C-alpha cells in the first residue's frame, strides 16, 4: 500500500531536502525549525541553530534593515519581504544570503510564524564584486587613455575596416581644416589640399587614410597640406592595422606628426650646402687652371714643379669632395637629372678598372673584369661611370695586399647586373644597413685612418635609384663584400 504524505509531512520533507536554506521563525525571531541546507550554509548543527534568533546570526551592519521589514510584517503593513543581507557563519566569516520571508497567519488572521528561504549568494556576490572592480579599473583605464588621446600633440585617427572614420583626437580634428577647409565626409581617401614633397597633388589612392584602409602599414609618410603653397604645413604619418582576437583586420590607426619646422630647416640646410658647394667650385676650377698653366712652364725649377704637383693633387681632391657634397644635396632635393643614352657598359667597366689601376697596384690588390664583349644599356654614362668608379675604388681601398676585386657584368631579362666583389676587410653586420647613409664611415675604417668622406655610396645609391634600379650588399667581416647593381636595360 502506498502512503501519501499529509500536508505537514510534505512540508517537513520539502524543508529537509530543499537545496535552499529554509527555516520557520518565531514571532520573537528565534529559529523554530531549520533545514539541512541552512545548517550547511551557516556551519551549525540543527540543535545549535534552533537555539538562536536570526538577530544574532545577522551581520550587525545589515540587522536594522531586516528588523525594519520584520516589524512592518508583524504590524500587518506587509505580508512578505525580500532582502539581500549578510549572515555570520559559525567560524565568523560573512555569508551573503538572498532572503525571502512570508508571514503565516492562523485561520483568524493572527500571526503564527514566518517562513524564510535563504539562498546562499556569496559566490555570486564575490563574482559581482570582482566584476565591479574590473569595470572600475577598465573605466579608469579608459579615462586615462582618453585623456592621453586628447592631450598628445600628435593627431590620432581610428578608421574601421571600410575606411570610415571612427574616432579622432582633438589635435587631428584641429588640423583637418587645413587640407579640407570645406569639411570632410568621414570616409578615407577624400582628396583635399594634400601635396607630395615635390608639389604634386595627392590622389585618393595616395592618401594615407586610403592606404591604411586598404591594409598598408607605413612610417614617416611625408607630405604638405594647405591651399596656399607659401604657407603649407608638413606632416609625417604612420599607420598600423588594428586586428581582432583571431587576427582579422578590424580597422587601422593613424598618427599624424606635424614636421613643418623640421622640413623647413632641412630645406635651408640643403640650399646652404648646395650654394656653398657651387660657390666653392668656381674658384677651385680657376686655381686648377692656373696650376696646370704653371706645371706646363718649361722654366719651372724642379723643386717648384714638385710643389705644383702636390698643390694640383690636393686641389683635385677638394674639387671631388665639393662635387660629392653637391651631388648628395641635389639627390636629396630630387634634382638628380639623368641624360640617358645607349652606352656600352663593357667599355665603361674596363675604363673604371683602368682608372683604379695605379691605386690598386700601389696597394697590391688585383682587379679583374668578367664581362661580355659588349653590353649596351640606356643609362647616363657619366653618372654610371661615377657608380662603377666608386664601387671599384672602394673595393681596392677596403682590401689588403694580396686581395682581389672582381667586376662582373651580365645581362638579365630586361635588366643588366653589375657586381663588384672584393675579398677585403668586409663590413660589420650592424653597419651593413648604414653604409648608404650620407657621411657614414665604418668603425674599423675610421680607426685605420683610411681617408674618405662617407658620401660615395650615398651618391651611388641615388644614381642607381634615379635609373629605376636597385643596389644590394652582401658582406662578411674579413671575407669581403659584394655590391650588386641591377638596372633596367631599356
Ligand atoms: P668613404 O669610402 O668615403 O668612406 P663610402 O660612402 O664609399 O664612403 O663608404 C661608406 C663606408 O662603407 C666606408 O667608410 C666603409 O666603412 C664602408 N665600405 C664601403 N665599401 C666597402 C667595401 N668594399 N669593403 C668594406 N667596407 C666598405
Amino acid at each position: 500500500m502506498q502512503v501519501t504524505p499529509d500536508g505537514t509531512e510534505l512540508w517537513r520533507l520539502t524543508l529537509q531536502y530543499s537545496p535552499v536554506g529554509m527555516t520557520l521563525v518565531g514571532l520573537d525571531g528565534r529559529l523554530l525549525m531549520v533545514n539541512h541546507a541552512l545548517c550547511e550554509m551557516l556551519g551549525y548543527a540543527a540543535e545549535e541553530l534552533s537555539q538562536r534568533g536570526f538577530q544574532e546570526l545577522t551581520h550587525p551592519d545589515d540587522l536594522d534593515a531586516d528588523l525594519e521589514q520584520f516589524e512592518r510584517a508583524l504590524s500587518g503593513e506587509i505580508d512578505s519581504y525580500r532582502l539581500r543581507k549578510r549572515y555570520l557563519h559559525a567560524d565568523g566569516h560573512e555569508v551573503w544570503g538572498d532572503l525571502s520571508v512570508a508571514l503565516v497567519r492562523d485561520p483568524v488572521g493572527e500571526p503564527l510564524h514566518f517562513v524564510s528561504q535563504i539562498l546562499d549568494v556569496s559566490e555570486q556576490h564575490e563574482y559581482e564584486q570582482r566584476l565591479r572592480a574590473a569595470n572600475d579599473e577598465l573605466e579608469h583605464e579608459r579615462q586615462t587613455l582618453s585623456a592621453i588621446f586628447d592631450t598628445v600633440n600628435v593627431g590620432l585617427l581610428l578608421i574601421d575596416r571600410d575606411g570610415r572614420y571612427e574616432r579622432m583626437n582633438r589635435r587631428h580634428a584641429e588640423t583637418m581644416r587645413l587640407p579640407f577647409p570645406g569639411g570632410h565626409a568621414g570616409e578615407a581617401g577624400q582628396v583635399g589640399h594634400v601635396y607630395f614633397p615635390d608639389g604634386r597633388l595627392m590622389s585618393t589612392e595616395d592618401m594615407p587614410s586610403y592606404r591604411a584602409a586598404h591594409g598598408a602599414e607605413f612610417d614617416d609618410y611625408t607630405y604638405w597640406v594647405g591651399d596656399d603653397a607659401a604657407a603649407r604645413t608638413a606632416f609625417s604619418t604612420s599607420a598600423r592595422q588594428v586586428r581582432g582576437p583571431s587576427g582579422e583586420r578590424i580597422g587601422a590607426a593613424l598618427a599624424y606628426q606635424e614636421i613643418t619646422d623640421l622640413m623647413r630647416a632641412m630645406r635651408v640646410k640643403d640650399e646652404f650646402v648646395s650654394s656653398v658647394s657651387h660657390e666653392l667650385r668656381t674658384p677651385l676650377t680657376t686655381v686648377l687652371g692656373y696650376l696646370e698653366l704653371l706645371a706646363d712652364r718649361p722654366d719651372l725649377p724642379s723643386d717648384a714643379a714638385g710643389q705644383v704637383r702636390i698643390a694640383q693633387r690636393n686641389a683635385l681632391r677638394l674639387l671631388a669632395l665639393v662635387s660629392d657634397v653637391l651631388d648628395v644635396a641635389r639627390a636629396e632635393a630630387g634634382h638628380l637629372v639623368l641624360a640617358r643614352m645607349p652606352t656600352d657598359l663593357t667599355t665603361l667597366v674596363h675604363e673604371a678598372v683602368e682608372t683604379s689601376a695605379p691605386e690598386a697596384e700601389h696597394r697590391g690588390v688585383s682587379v679583374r673584369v668578367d664581362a661580355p664583349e659588349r653590353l649596351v644599356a640606356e643609362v647616363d654614362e657619366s653618372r654610371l661611370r661615377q657608380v662603377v668608379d666608386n664601387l671599384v675604388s672602394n673595393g681596392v681601398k677596403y682590401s689588403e695586399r694580396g686581395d682581389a676585386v672582381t667586376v662582373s657584368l651580365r645581362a638579365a631579362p630586361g635588366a643588366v647586373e653589375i657586381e663588384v666583389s672584393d675579398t677585403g676587410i668586409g663590413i660589420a653586420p650592424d653597419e651593413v644597413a648604414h653604409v648608404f647613409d650620407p657621411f657614414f664611415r665604418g668603425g674599423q675604417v675610421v680607426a685605420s685612418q683610411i681617408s674618405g668622406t662617407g658620401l660615395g655610396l650615398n651618391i651611388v645609391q641615388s644614381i642607381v635609384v634615379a635609373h629605376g634600379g636597385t643596389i644590394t650588399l652582401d658582406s662578411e667581416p674579413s671575407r669581403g663584400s659584394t655590391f650588386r647593381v641591377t638596372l633596367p636595360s631599356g
Side-chain angles (χ1 to χ4, degrees):
M1 193 181 78
Q2 197 173 345
V3 180
T4 313
D6 62 14
T8 320
E9 181 60 2
L10 194 64
W11 163 243
R12 199 188 62 76
L13 286 172
T14 310
L15 186 79
Q16 223 37 54
Y17 294 106
S18 169
V20 176
M22 290 179 79
T23 173
L24 292 186
V25 180
L27 300 182
D28 58 358
R30 277 204 297 158
L31 311 193
L32 305 174
M33 204 190 274
V34 292
N35 75 344
H36 182 68
L38 188 65
C39 295
E40 282 274 289
M41 184 174 152
L42 298 179
Y44 291 98
E47 315 79 68
E48 290 174 301
L49 263 191
S50 339
Q51 307 297 317
R52 295 167 201 263
F54 76 85
Q55 297 89 333
E56 62 174 300
L57 294 165
T58 298
H59 189 287
D61 290 349
D62 293 348
L63 186 56
D64 284 350
D66 197 352
L67 283 176
E68 190 190 325
Q69 301 294 335
F70 191 79
E71 295 301 334
R72 284 177 70 203
L74 273 182
S75 69
E77 200 181 315
I78 51 174
D79 287 334
S80 63
Y81 63 92
R82 197 165 172 186
L83 198 68
R84 182 177 273 213
K85 62 177 249 193
R86 280 165 291 177
Y87 288 87
L88 293 172
H89 189 273
D91 68 14
H93 77 261
E94 292 174 3
V95 177
W96 278 89
D98 183 355
L99 167 70
S100 302
V101 181
L103 180 60
V104 180
R105 295 175 188 276
D106 68 8
V108 291
E110 280 302 307
L112 269 181
H113 51 248
F114 291 90
V115 182
S116 302
Q117 294 193 59
I118 305 145
L119 188 64
D120 186 345
V121 291
S122 299
E123 247 178 54
Q124 188 187 342
H125 181 80
E126 198 188 318
Y127 173 74
E128 284 168 2
Q129 287 290 96
R130 264 195 268 138
L131 200 66
R132 196 167 304 134
N135 265 335
D136 287 352
E137 200 171 312
L138 215 62
E139 178 58 17
H140 176 73
E141 194 94 317
R142 200 191 62 76
Q143 283 183 354
T144 311
L145 281 179
S146 179
I148 295 173
F149 190 71
D150 269 332
T151 319
V152 287
N153 206 19
V154 173
L156 296 171
L157 170 68
L158 276 175
I159 53 176
D160 71 11
R161 199 179 24 208
D162 303 318
R164 273 187 294 271
Y165 282 28
E166 273 193 337
R167 192 171 169 193
M168 70 174 77
N169 70 348
R170 203 174 301 152
R171 172 79 185 149
H172 192 56
E174 281 162 11
T175 49
M176 282 280 280
R177 65 184 166 71
L178 296 172
F180 308 109
H184 192 276
E187 296 266 353
Q190 182 172 327
V191 174
H193 299 294
V194 185
Y195 303 89
F196 285 110
D198 64 8
R200 276 179 306 125
L201 183 72
M202 260 197 199
S203 65
T204 293
E205 292 75 25
D206 296 319
M207 293 297 283
S209 57
Y210 183 92
R211 292 182 58 199
H214 286 75
E217 294 199 334
F218 46 83
D219 284 303
D220 203 19
Y221 189 46
T222 306
Y223 52 87
W224 292 83
V225 304
D227 190 9
D228 177 1
R232 284 193 183 137
T233 308
F235 283 92
S236 164
T237 303
S238 310
R240 289 289 177 277
Q241 295 301 314
V242 180
R243 300 193 181 276
S246 42
E248 76 282 14
R249 257 190 67 226
I250 54 174
L254 290 107
Y256 299 78
Q257 171 94 54
E258 209 233 280
I259 53 161
T260 314
D261 289 346
L262 180 70
M263 293 290 274
R264 292 238 156 89
M266 276 170 52
R267 208 176 259 182
V268 168
K269 182 210 78 179
D270 289 348
E271 281 164 10
F272 174 75
V273 169
S274 133
S275 76
V276 166
S277 332
H278 247 305
E279 294 306 315
L280 282 175
R281 241 154 58 135
T282 320
L284 253 179
T285 323
T286 316
V287 168
L288 273 164
Y290 279 106
L291 282 174
E292 212 172 321
L293 286 177
L294 207 56
D296 286 347
R297 276 178 67 155
D299 58 339
L300 205 64
S302 66
D303 55 341
Q307 288 159 357
V308 168
R309 265 199 306 280
I310 294 174
Q312 267 181 317
R313 216 176 34 242
N314 282 287
L316 276 171
R317 270 183 63 189
L318 202 54
L319 186 64
L321 183 65
V322 169
S323 304
D324 276 359
V325 171
L326 198 57
D327 278 347
V328 171
R330 273 204 198 115
E332 276 181 1
H335 294 155
L336 208 63
V337 184
L338 299 183
R340 294 176 198 243
M341 59 180 83
T343 307
D344 177 21
L345 299 182
T346 303
T347 310
L348 190 143
V349 163
H350 278 292
E351 283 168 3
V353 169
E354 260 165 46
T355 311
S356 72
E359 181 66 14
E361 200 173 318
H362 173 69
R363 302 182 67 95
V365 176
S366 62
V367 185
R368 188 173 86 72
V369 177
D370 176 10
E373 194 82 346
R374 203 174 137 78
L375 183 54
V376 176
E378 185 101 2
V379 295
D380 180 320
E381 187 182 349
S382 75
R383 287 299 187 187
L384 205 66
R385 187 181 302 278
Q386 223 177 325
V387 168
V388 183
D389 274 348
N390 239 303
L391 294 178
V392 174
S393 81
N394 274 355
V396 171
K397 198 157 75 163
Y398 301 118
S399 287
E400 282 155 353
R401 196 158 286 279
D403 277 327
V405 176
T406 308
V407 189
S408 324
L409 185 63
R410 55 182 161 262
V416 287
E417 269 178 22
I418 309 166
E419 196 178 275
V420 181
S421 169
D422 64 65
T423 58
I425 61 171
I427 300 168
D430 59 327
E431 293 183 344
V432 168
H434 300 288
V435 292
F436 297 105
D437 296 347
F439 300 106
F440 177 83
R441 306 209 67 224
Q444 190 191 347
V445 164
V446 173
S448 65
Q449 296 183 330
I450 303 175
S451 69
T453 57
L455 292 176
L457 286 181
N458 180 259
I459 297 170
V460 164
Q461 188 185 42
S462 304
I463 296 173
V464 171
V465 169
H467 275 88
T470 54
I471 179 163
T472 58
L473 163 63
D474 262 329
S475 188
E476 212 180 307
S478 317
R479 309 280 309 244
S481 312
T482 300
F483 289 86
R484 183 174 300 126
V485 174
T486 308
L487 299 173
S489 52

